[in-house]
Amino acid sequence: MASDLDGRGLREPPQWNAEDPATSLDAFAMALVFEPLKRAIDWYFAAKAENKRWGRRIRLATWALAGVAVVVPVAFETFRPVGGEAAWSRFRPELWFRPGVATLALLLAAGFVWLDRFYGYTSGWLRYMEAAQRLLELRDRFLIEWATTRAAWPGGKPSEAQVNEAFAKILLLNAQLHAVVRDETRTWVAEFRDALRQLEEQLHRRYEAKPSSDRGGLEIEAEAAEGAKLPEGWVLSVSGQGPAAQNVAGSRTSLALPAGVYQVRGEAKLVLADGTSRRATDEKAAAVEAGRVAAVKLRFE
């Protein structure tokens, strides 16, 4: 998400000067670590503040509309004139305290919730805050490590071995910097795809999962083992549904199927907490009944 890390606005790449290796190493550290870290930290803090403002506004609007949906039916019954007209009846409260207003308020509240999900204001605020904290930790650690490295140079002139050691530290911190940005971006992509999938399911569920006289629905949920992730989604296959498998980006998907017993199989690339990965599968049997939606949970370990 930190689009400012694409290289625009950077100065010319540093050049190695064998006559002054210390200055050259400082230039490489500045270009590959310090400057990208500063741009990334500034970007995430600015984006965090913007998302926090919009997320707060949307949540307040959602709560207000939900409150209106609760209050209107009660007010309609409470202030409806009984016998004679109320003193304030000239304001025509029947126009404002109708049940339809509560329904409209609920629809608007749901729309605000989906707006937040689509643009990721609340989740983005949390993601950016976490990414900024990780980048600050990288910056502080590299400041200490770089000062320690320079202090070990006799007379301020590093030896050939010390030059190689310094370059290794620069490359390591540069890779860690980009890993933080890459992880945050992948999380955003996964959240956005999941929001799109859920919206599509809600729009088409009445057609896809609405059973006919002999049809039912199947809702499949996949989860990874504790501490593991499914960055590439997973692949679903259901017996009797042809040889083609279905690629699933989010954690859930649903199918409309004739009544019967099916074998549900999932396969995914599982990324463990230590960074290693392996293929994982899980398989469950599911009975689909006409007019009902059966739930199946797959777990990749």
Side-chain angles (χ1 to χ4, degrees):
M1 291 295 293
S3 57
D4 290 342
L5 294 180
D6 58 4
R8 288 177 295 179
L10 292 180
R11 61 185 183 183
E12 289 296 321
Q15 302 296 322
W16 179 254
N17 183 4
E19 301 295 330
D20 191 359
T23 302
S24 296
L25 287 173
D26 283 336
F28 276 95
M30 182 65 66
L32 296 179
V33 179
F34 287 117
E35 288 183 354
L37 269 173
K38 183 181 183 306
R39 291 198 312 276
I41 291 170
D42 291 344
W43 191 94
Y44 276 114
F45 272 115
K48 176 181 74 71
E50 183 69 15
N51 276 31
K52 180 179 179 180
R53 284 193 295 270
W54 279 106
R56 181 177 295 170
R57 292 167 184 169
I58 290 176
R59 289 195 303 275
L60 287 174
T62 302
W63 296 336
L65 288 167
V68 169
V70 172
V71 169
V72 163
V74 179
F76 176 75
E77 293 297 329
T78 302
F79 298 114
R80 184 170 55 180
V82 178
E85 291 189 355
W88 47 269
S89 61
R90 62 180 179 275
F91 295 108
R92 304 189 68 185
E94 68 275 7
L95 296 178
W96 305 100
F97 294 147
R98 291 185 297 178
V101 175
T103 303
L104 178 61
L106 280 178
L107 290 174
L108 289 174
F112 276 114
V113 171
W114 274 109
L115 180 67
D116 190 24
R117 289 288 306 278
F118 241 76
Y119 286 96
Y121 291 120
T122 301
S123 61
W125 167 35
L126 301 176
R127 284 199 325 271
Y128 295 162
M129 184 167 58
E130 180 185 3
Q133 290 173 344
R134 292 175 64 187
L135 291 170
L136 285 173
E137 181 183 355
L138 282 176
R139 183 201 63 184
D140 295 344
R141 188 169 80 236
F142 188 66
L143 283 171
I144 299 299
E145 289 183 359
W146 192 246
T148 304
T149 299
R150 294 189 94 266
W153 298 345
K157 295 182 180 180
S159 64
E160 183 177 348
Q162 289 172 327
V163 168
N164 293 332
E165 179 185 356
F167 271 125
K169 288 185 178 181
I170 292 172
L171 289 174
L172 176 62
L173 265 294
N174 179 267
Q176 291 176 348
L177 158 66
H178 287 286
V180 171
V181 178
R182 185 167 53 249
D183 290 346
E184 184 274 321
T185 304
R186 285 176 176 171
T187 303
W188 172 80
V189 171
E191 289 180 357
F192 187 72
R193 286 177 175 172
D194 188 58
L196 284 176
R197 179 192 58 79
Q198 290 187 24
L199 180 60
E200 183 179 359
E201 286 181 1
Q202 288 196 9
L203 292 175
H204 297 285
R205 183 168 293 173
R206 65 178 59 185
Y207 305 106
E208 294 180 350
K210 183 179 180 180
S212 61
S213 58
D214 62 342
R215 294 178 69 83
L218 187 62
E219 185 166 330
I220 306 105
E221 179 181 3
E223 64 177 7
E226 185 175 357
K229 297 180 181 180
L230 302 172
E232 299 177 4
W234 52 290
V235 179
L236 169 68
S237 56
V238 179
S239 61
Q241 298 304 300
Q246 175 183 346
N247 293 315
V248 183
S251 61
R252 294 174 182 266
T253 189
S254 60
L255 300 171
L257 299 170
V261 178
Y262 298 89
Q263 200 70 17
V264 181
R265 186 176 188 276
E267 182 177 358
K269 178 182 178 182
L270 191 67
V271 178
L272 305 179
D274 59 0
T276 60
S277 62
R278 66 166 183 265
R279 303 303 298 182
T281 61
D282 193 16
E283 193 168 351
K284 297 282 175 57
V288 176
E289 299 178 13
R292 295 180 178 272
V293 177
V296 176
K297 179 174 286 189
L298 302 176
R299 182 175 175 84
F300 298 112
E301 297 182 297

